Amino acid sequence: MARPVLGRHLRAVNDNAEDWTGSWQQQEAALDSALRLFAAHGFSAAARARDAAVIAEASGDAERSGFWLEVCRTLDRRMARDFKARRSS
């Protein structure tokens, strides 16, 4: 009996980072921060990450704001999407 040939996936099956353009090191840092934030703050961790993005943005640090938005996206995609939409309008 012949085995089916499986093709290689270009992205992980569980990859939900459609908008992600950073490096793996940046993604690991965002995931690590998200896990630590969740351990410290539980279900309010996404809101804390969003607040950190707002603070970074207010201080003019776009790179740091983007990092915290990615942490927020890791924890709660809808909250991050809504924040990004409000910021754009």
Side-chain angles (χ1 to χ4, degrees):
M1 181 173 195
R3 291 183 177 210
V5 177
L6 301 175
R8 256 180 84 195
H9 291 286
L10 296 177
R11 293 173 62 175
V13 174
N14 65 344
D15 188 5
N16 62 356
E18 326 56 60
D19 296 331
W20 183 256
T21 58
S23 69
W24 286 108
Q25 291 82 14
Q26 289 171 324
Q27 191 172 17
E28 283 183 22
L31 179 60
D32 183 61
S33 294
L35 292 172
R36 289 176 187 275
L37 204 59
F38 186 76
H41 299 287
F43 291 116
S44 67
R48 298 281 181 132
R50 182 200 56 216
D51 295 345
V54 169
I55 292 167
E57 187 176 52
S59 67
D61 191 348
E63 183 178 338
R64 199 74 186 148
S65 177
F67 171 78
W68 283 112
L69 183 59
E70 181 58 31
V71 172
C72 180
R73 183 180 292 117
T74 300
L75 295 163
D76 187 337
R77 290 175 71 187
R78 183 177 295 162
M79 184 183 292
R81 184 185 65 227
D82 292 347
F83 172 72
K84 191 173 179 181
R86 275 188 301 234
R87 193 171 67 175
S88 298
S89 55

